Amino acid sequence: MENKIDFVDLKTQYRTYKPEIDNAIQNILNTAQFIQGKEVASLEDNLSAYTGSKHCISCSSGTDALLLALLSLGISTDDEVITTPFTFFATAEAISLLGAKPVFVDIEDKTYNIDASMIKERINTRTKAIIPVSIFGQPCDMDEINQIASEAGIPVIEDAAQSFGSTYKGKKSCNLSTIGTTSFFPAKPLGCYGDGGAVFTSDDSHGKKIRLLMNHGQEGRGKHKYIGINGRLDAIQAAILNIKLKYYNKEISKRNSIAERYTNGLTDIKDIITPAIKKDRTSNFAQYTIRVNNRAEFVNKMSEINIPTAIHYPIPLYQQEVYQELKIDSKKFPVTEMICNEVVSLPMCPYLKKGNQDFIIDTIQNFSGVKK
Ligand SMILES: *Cc1c(COP(=O)(O)O)cnc(C)c1O
């Protein structure tokens, strides 16, 4: 082992781009244009160009991006929104915050994404949208989901908080449905140095509405057309993202090489299941998540030798205290139940040193013992 292993090594990333980032931050301090402005506008242009989406509205977080998308669609009390129970809490939280009800659909056991074949049966007259989440970076079965949605006459929001830069049939995540949302939380694949997010759409009316909603529904100074939020991105975050975006494709390919090395080392181990990426899509490997048989023991052994791991996600959303009132029968989610008990994410970032990764792989090979 070369040194202490970080789960996500943001310090080395900063050192790599330090002169450019320090300079960009200093420029913002000198101009004193802290919120919105030129850097934010150019970031939005760059993100639009990168994803191929006609409109990009940057905002204050991935959670606010979801909220803005749902607000633009007019989601409110008594509406239902279909989503996955295997995601970060914010996906369902944004739905609930608007008074609507999240309707959970079980996931696939290979990709851990929402099972598209089970969506249709949950659609009724109250269903107003579907939010598939591209979990760990892998896009969902978007053609199937878009088809089901279009037959029902409802929109699709891709929660692409983890999948910025991933592709589906050659098209970029965030640009695969009516609206796409992402997050620039520091530990996400494309992270800033605070909170940040963005909303993407190629629909002109949503593009225009979301831009207003993001800034208090304000159309022209002091004129408020909608009830919106303060969802503005600040200029320092935009400047940092503009720099990181230039190197992002290189970072994604490093993440893919690291994922491949993990998979080569771990795939033959009995009781470990490595990630499966479907043929028509790519992942940015926001997380490298394996399934293990006895997770508690696995995590303990790893932490004893100072290898950090994380569990995304131990608790299905329908089991969260706040959703007990939905009275959801966990027996209807056999795959989610199984996956939540078995998943564990390994250190992953473009700056994971080869020596450290070899140490992680050797360690797992040693204590997992028997080969298949
Ligand atoms: C991180 C994340 C969010 C929330 O993003 P924030 O920027 O932290 O608000 C939403 N959905 C998913 C799937 C996420 O991973």
Side-chain angles (χ1 to χ4, degrees), residues 316-335:
L317 290 190
Y318 52 77
Q319 274 184 23
Q320 290 292 342
E321 182 179 346
V322 70
Y323 285 134
Q324 288 314 294
E325 62 183 29
L326 295 177
K327 300 206 176 345
I328 289 171
D329 180 3
S330 57
K331 286 194 199 68
K332 295 206 169 111
F333 298 86
V335 182

PDB file of all heavy atoms in Angstrom, residues 316-335:
ATOM      1  N   PRO A 316     -33.982   0.733   1.948  1.00  0.00           N
ATOM      2  CA  PRO A 316     -34.866   1.120   0.841  1.00  0.00           C
ATOM      3  C   PRO A 316     -35.697   2.336   1.273  1.00  0.00           C
ATOM      4  O   PRO A 316     -36.052   2.445   2.449  1.00  0.00           O
ATOM      5  CB  PRO A 316     -35.780  -0.098   0.657  1.00  0.00           C
ATOM      6  CG  PRO A 316     -35.158  -1.216   1.422  1.00  0.00           C
ATOM      7  CD  PRO A 316     -34.283  -0.613   2.459  1.00  0.00           C
ATOM      8  N   LEU A 317     -35.997   3.218   0.332  1.00  0.00           N
ATOM      9  CA  LEU A 317     -36.684   4.454   0.733  1.00  0.00           C
ATOM     10  C   LEU A 317     -38.027   4.192   1.413  1.00  0.00           C
ATOM     11  O   LEU A 317     -38.405   4.906   2.330  1.00  0.00           O
ATOM     12  CB  LEU A 317     -36.870   5.382  -0.472  1.00  0.00           C
ATOM     13  CG  LEU A 317     -35.588   6.012  -1.013  1.00  0.00           C
ATOM     14  CD1 LEU A 317     -35.912   7.085  -2.039  1.00  0.00           C
ATOM     15  CD2 LEU A 317     -34.742   6.605   0.111  1.00  0.00           C
ATOM     16  N   TYR A 318     -38.741   3.124   0.982  1.00  0.00           N
ATOM     17  CA  TYR A 318     -40.052   2.869   1.609  1.00  0.00           C
ATOM     18  C   TYR A 318     -39.909   2.432   3.065  1.00  0.00           C
ATOM     19  O   TYR A 318     -40.873   2.386   3.799  1.00  0.00           O
ATOM     20  CB  TYR A 318     -40.861   1.838   0.796  1.00  0.00           C
ATOM     21  CG  TYR A 318     -40.100   0.564   0.513  1.00  0.00           C
ATOM     22  CD1 TYR A 318     -39.931  -0.410   1.488  1.00  0.00           C
ATOM     23  CD2 TYR A 318     -39.525   0.354  -0.745  1.00  0.00           C
ATOM     24  CE1 TYR A 318     -39.204  -1.550   1.234  1.00  0.00           C
ATOM     25  CE2 TYR A 318     -38.795  -0.795  -1.004  1.00  0.00           C
ATOM     26  CZ  TYR A 318     -38.638  -1.741  -0.004  1.00  0.00           C
ATOM     27  OH  TYR A 318     -37.904  -2.874  -0.257  1.00  0.00           O
ATOM     28  N   GLN A 319     -38.698   2.100   3.490  1.00  0.00           N
ATOM     29  CA  GLN A 319     -38.490   1.722   4.897  1.00  0.00           C
ATOM     30  C   GLN A 319     -38.052   2.903   5.749  1.00  0.00           C
ATOM     31  O   GLN A 319     -37.881   2.769   6.958  1.00  0.00           O
ATOM     32  CB  GLN A 319     -37.431   0.630   4.989  1.00  0.00           C
ATOM     33  CG  GLN A 319     -38.011  -0.765   4.804  1.00  0.00           C
ATOM     34  CD  GLN A 319     -36.942  -1.828   5.001  1.00  0.00           C
ATOM     35  OE1 GLN A 319     -35.930  -1.602   5.664  1.00  0.00           O
ATOM     36  NE2 GLN A 319     -37.166  -2.982   4.406  1.00  0.00           N
ATOM     37  N   GLN A 320     -37.846   4.067   5.137  1.00  0.00           N
ATOM     38  CA  GLN A 320     -37.460   5.244   5.919  1.00  0.00           C
ATOM     39  C   GLN A 320     -38.614   5.627   6.850  1.00  0.00           C
ATOM     40  O   GLN A 320     -39.785   5.493   6.491  1.00  0.00           O
ATOM     41  CB  GLN A 320     -37.144   6.422   4.986  1.00  0.00           C
ATOM     42  CG  GLN A 320     -35.868   6.240   4.179  1.00  0.00           C
ATOM     43  CD  GLN A 320     -34.610   6.271   5.040  1.00  0.00           C
ATOM     44  OE1 GLN A 320     -34.628   6.752   6.178  1.00  0.00           O
ATOM     45  NE2 GLN A 320     -33.529   5.728   4.503  1.00  0.00           N
ATOM     46  N   GLU A 321     -38.253   6.120   8.018  1.00  0.00           N
ATOM     47  CA  GLU A 321     -39.269   6.472   9.028  1.00  0.00           C
ATOM     48  C   GLU A 321     -40.366   7.351   8.430  1.00  0.00           C
ATOM     49  O   GLU A 321     -41.547   7.130   8.624  1.00  0.00           O
ATOM     50  CB  GLU A 321     -38.579   7.190  10.194  1.00  0.00           C
ATOM     51  CG  GLU A 321     -39.541   7.557  11.300  1.00  0.00           C
ATOM     52  CD  GLU A 321     -38.850   8.256  12.466  1.00  0.00           C
ATOM     53  OE1 GLU A 321     -37.603   8.216  12.527  1.00  0.00           O
ATOM     54  OE2 GLU A 321     -39.575   8.834  13.294  1.00  0.00           O
ATOM     55  N   VAL A 322     -39.942   8.350   7.663  1.00  0.00           N
ATOM     56  CA  VAL A 322     -40.896   9.330   7.155  1.00  0.00           C
ATOM     57  C   VAL A 322     -41.885   8.704   6.160  1.00  0.00           C
ATOM     58  O   VAL A 322     -42.974   9.234   5.953  1.00  0.00           O
ATOM     59  CB  VAL A 322     -40.143  10.512   6.512  1.00  0.00           C
ATOM     60  CG1 VAL A 322     -39.452  10.106   5.215  1.00  0.00           C
ATOM     61  CG2 VAL A 322     -41.065  11.688   6.258  1.00  0.00           C
ATOM     62  N   TYR A 323     -41.527   7.567   5.566  1.00  0.00           N
ATOM     63  CA  TYR A 323     -42.431   6.931   4.591  1.00  0.00           C
ATOM     64  C   TYR A 323     -43.219   5.771   5.173  1.00  0.00           C
ATOM     65  O   TYR A 323     -43.905   5.056   4.443  1.00  0.00           O
ATOM     66  CB  TYR A 323     -41.651   6.504   3.340  1.00  0.00           C
ATOM     67  CG  TYR A 323     -41.289   7.689   2.464  1.00  0.00           C
ATOM     68  CD1 TYR A 323     -40.019   7.838   1.940  1.00  0.00           C
ATOM     69  CD2 TYR A 323     -42.245   8.671   2.169  1.00  0.00           C
ATOM     70  CE1 TYR A 323     -39.688   8.932   1.148  1.00  0.00           C
ATOM     71  CE2 TYR A 323     -41.918   9.773   1.395  1.00  0.00           C
ATOM     72  CZ  TYR A 323     -40.646   9.898   0.884  1.00  0.00           C
ATOM     73  OH  TYR A 323     -40.330  10.980   0.104  1.00  0.00           O
ATOM     74  N   GLN A 324     -43.152   5.587   6.502  1.00  0.00           N
ATOM     75  CA  GLN A 324     -43.951   4.518   7.106  1.00  0.00           C
ATOM     76  C   GLN A 324     -45.438   4.732   6.849  1.00  0.00           C
ATOM     77  O   GLN A 324     -46.202   3.794   6.695  1.00  0.00           O
ATOM     78  CB  GLN A 324     -43.671   4.421   8.616  1.00  0.00           C
ATOM     79  CG  GLN A 324     -42.302   3.836   8.922  1.00  0.00           C
ATOM     80  CD  GLN A 324     -42.002   2.599   8.088  1.00  0.00           C
ATOM     81  OE1 GLN A 324     -42.646   1.573   8.237  1.00  0.00           O
ATOM     82  NE2 GLN A 324     -41.040   2.698   7.173  1.00  0.00           N
ATOM     83  N   GLU A 325     -45.823   6.020   6.761  1.00  0.00           N
ATOM     84  CA  GLU A 325     -47.244   6.334   6.542  1.00  0.00           C
ATOM     85  C   GLU A 325     -47.743   5.832   5.185  1.00  0.00           C
ATOM     86  O   GLU A 325     -48.938   5.703   4.970  1.00  0.00           O
ATOM     87  CB  GLU A 325     -47.475   7.845   6.667  1.00  0.00           C
ATOM     88  CG  GLU A 325     -46.689   8.621   5.615  1.00  0.00           C
ATOM     89  CD  GLU A 325     -46.831  10.142   5.730  1.00  0.00           C
ATOM     90  OE1 GLU A 325     -47.048  10.626   6.844  1.00  0.00           O
ATOM     91  OE2 GLU A 325     -46.715  10.802   4.684  1.00  0.00           O
ATOM     92  N   LEU A 326     -46.842   5.549   4.264  1.00  0.00           N
ATOM     93  CA  LEU A 326     -47.269   5.030   2.958  1.00  0.00           C
ATOM     94  C   LEU A 326     -47.670   3.552   3.057  1.00  0.00           C
ATOM     95  O   LEU A 326     -48.268   3.005   2.137  1.00  0.00           O
ATOM     96  CB  LEU A 326     -46.147   5.186   1.913  1.00  0.00           C
ATOM     97  CG  LEU A 326     -45.727   6.605   1.537  1.00  0.00           C
ATOM     98  CD1 LEU A 326     -44.551   6.569   0.549  1.00  0.00           C
ATOM     99  CD2 LEU A 326     -46.884   7.385   0.918  1.00  0.00           C
ATOM    100  N   LYS A 327     -47.311   2.943   4.192  1.00  0.00           N
ATOM    101  CA  LYS A 327     -47.682   1.539   4.455  1.00  0.00           C
ATOM    102  C   LYS A 327     -47.346   0.630   3.272  1.00  0.00           C
ATOM    103  O   LYS A 327     -48.199  -0.057   2.713  1.00  0.00           O
ATOM    104  CB  LYS A 327     -49.182   1.434   4.782  1.00  0.00           C
ATOM    105  CG  LYS A 327     -49.611   2.242   5.999  1.00  0.00           C
ATOM    106  CD  LYS A 327     -50.843   1.655   6.631  1.00  0.00           C
ATOM    107  CE  LYS A 327     -51.289   2.342   7.909  1.00  0.00           C
ATOM    108  NZ  LYS A 327     -50.341   3.240   8.565  1.00  0.00           N
ATOM    109  N   ILE A 328     -46.100   0.668   2.898  1.00  0.00           N
ATOM    110  CA  ILE A 328     -45.662  -0.125   1.756  1.00  0.00           C
ATOM    111  C   ILE A 328     -45.179  -1.497   2.219  1.00  0.00           C
ATOM    112  O   ILE A 328     -44.436  -1.608   3.199  1.00  0.00           O
ATOM    113  CB  ILE A 328     -44.549   0.628   0.985  1.00  0.00           C
ATOM    114  CG1 ILE A 328     -45.191   1.824   0.264  1.00  0.00           C
ATOM    115  CG2 ILE A 328     -43.851  -0.284  -0.016  1.00  0.00           C
ATOM    116  CD1 ILE A 328     -44.216   2.778  -0.348  1.00  0.00           C
ATOM    117  N   ASP A 329     -45.613  -2.528   1.527  1.00  0.00           N
ATOM    118  CA  ASP A 329     -45.262  -3.899   1.869  1.00  0.00           C
ATOM    119  C   ASP A 329     -43.906  -4.250   1.232  1.00  0.00           C
ATOM    120  O   ASP A 329     -43.802  -4.349   0.007  1.00  0.00           O
ATOM    121  CB  ASP A 329     -46.373  -4.825   1.345  1.00  0.00           C
ATOM    122  CG  ASP A 329     -46.085  -6.280   1.668  1.00  0.00           C
ATOM    123  OD1 ASP A 329     -45.068  -6.562   2.327  1.00  0.00           O
ATOM    124  OD2 ASP A 329     -46.894  -7.134   1.244  1.00  0.00           O
ATOM    125  N   SER A 330     -42.895  -4.432   2.075  1.00  0.00           N
ATOM    126  CA  SER A 330     -41.552  -4.665   1.536  1.00  0.00           C
ATOM    127  C   SER A 330     -41.475  -5.972   0.734  1.00  0.00           C
ATOM    128  O   SER A 330     -40.573  -6.158  -0.079  1.00  0.00           O
ATOM    129  CB  SER A 330     -40.510  -4.652   2.655  1.00  0.00           C
ATOM    130  OG  SER A 330     -40.846  -5.622   3.616  1.00  0.00           O
ATOM    131  N   LYS A 331     -42.429  -6.870   0.950  1.00  0.00           N
ATOM    132  CA  LYS A 331     -42.447  -8.135   0.185  1.00  0.00           C
ATOM    133  C   LYS A 331     -42.646  -7.888  -1.306  1.00  0.00           C
ATOM    134  O   LYS A 331     -42.331  -8.744  -2.128  1.00  0.00           O
ATOM    135  CB  LYS A 331     -43.557  -9.051   0.697  1.00  0.00           C
ATOM    136  CG  LYS A 331     -43.244  -9.694   2.031  1.00  0.00           C
ATOM    137  CD  LYS A 331     -44.218 -10.845   2.301  1.00  0.00           C
ATOM    138  CE  LYS A 331     -44.262 -11.199   3.780  1.00  0.00           C
ATOM    139  NZ  LYS A 331     -44.868 -10.107   4.599  1.00  0.00           N
ATOM    140  N   LYS A 332     -43.171  -6.719  -1.636  1.00  0.00           N
ATOM    141  CA  LYS A 332     -43.369  -6.407  -3.057  1.00  0.00           C
ATOM    142  C   LYS A 332     -42.060  -5.944  -3.713  1.00  0.00           C
ATOM    143  O   LYS A 332     -42.044  -5.632  -4.903  1.00  0.00           O
ATOM    144  CB  LYS A 332     -44.436  -5.318  -3.206  1.00  0.00           C
ATOM    145  CG  LYS A 332     -45.803  -5.784  -2.736  1.00  0.00           C
ATOM    146  CD  LYS A 332     -46.923  -5.021  -3.428  1.00  0.00           C
ATOM    147  CE  LYS A 332     -48.268  -5.648  -3.169  1.00  0.00           C
ATOM    148  NZ  LYS A 332     -49.128  -4.797  -2.297  1.00  0.00           N
ATOM    149  N   PHE A 333     -40.976  -5.861  -2.911  1.00  0.00           N
ATOM    150  CA  PHE A 333     -39.697  -5.371  -3.439  1.00  0.00           C
ATOM    151  C   PHE A 333     -38.572  -6.364  -3.158  1.00  0.00           C
ATOM    152  O   PHE A 333     -37.581  -6.010  -2.516  1.00  0.00           O
ATOM    153  CB  PHE A 333     -39.381  -4.004  -2.812  1.00  0.00           C
ATOM    154  CG  PHE A 333     -40.404  -2.955  -3.141  1.00  0.00           C
ATOM    155  CD1 PHE A 333     -41.563  -2.818  -2.365  1.00  0.00           C
ATOM    156  CD2 PHE A 333     -40.255  -2.130  -4.246  1.00  0.00           C
ATOM    157  CE1 PHE A 333     -42.528  -1.878  -2.682  1.00  0.00           C
ATOM    158  CE2 PHE A 333     -41.214  -1.182  -4.566  1.00  0.00           C
ATOM    159  CZ  PHE A 333     -42.352  -1.054  -3.791  1.00  0.00           C
ATOM    160  N   PRO A 334     -38.729  -7.593  -3.635  1.00  0.00           N
ATOM    161  CA  PRO A 334     -37.723  -8.613  -3.290  1.00  0.00           C
ATOM    162  C   PRO A 334     -36.318  -8.252  -3.761  1.00  0.00           C
ATOM    163  O   PRO A 334     -35.342  -8.536  -3.056  1.00  0.00           O
ATOM    164  CB  PRO A 334     -38.244  -9.881  -3.997  1.00  0.00           C
ATOM    165  CG  PRO A 334     -39.195  -9.394  -5.045  1.00  0.00           C
ATOM    166  CD  PRO A 334     -39.793  -8.128  -4.510  1.00  0.00           C
ATOM    167  N   VAL A 335     -36.195  -7.621  -4.919  1.00  0.00           N
ATOM    168  CA  VAL A 335     -34.853  -7.315  -5.431  1.00  0.00           C
ATOM    169  C   VAL A 335     -34.222  -6.188  -4.611  1.00  0.00           C
ATOM    170  O   VAL A 335     -33.069  -6.280  -4.175  1.00  0.00           O
ATOM    171  CB  VAL A 335     -34.885  -6.972  -6.941  1.00  0.00           C
ATOM    172  CG1 VAL A 335     -33.468  -6.712  -7.451  1.00  0.00           C
ATOM    173  CG2 VAL A 335     -35.548  -8.101  -7.735  1.00  0.00           C
TER     174      VAL A 335
END
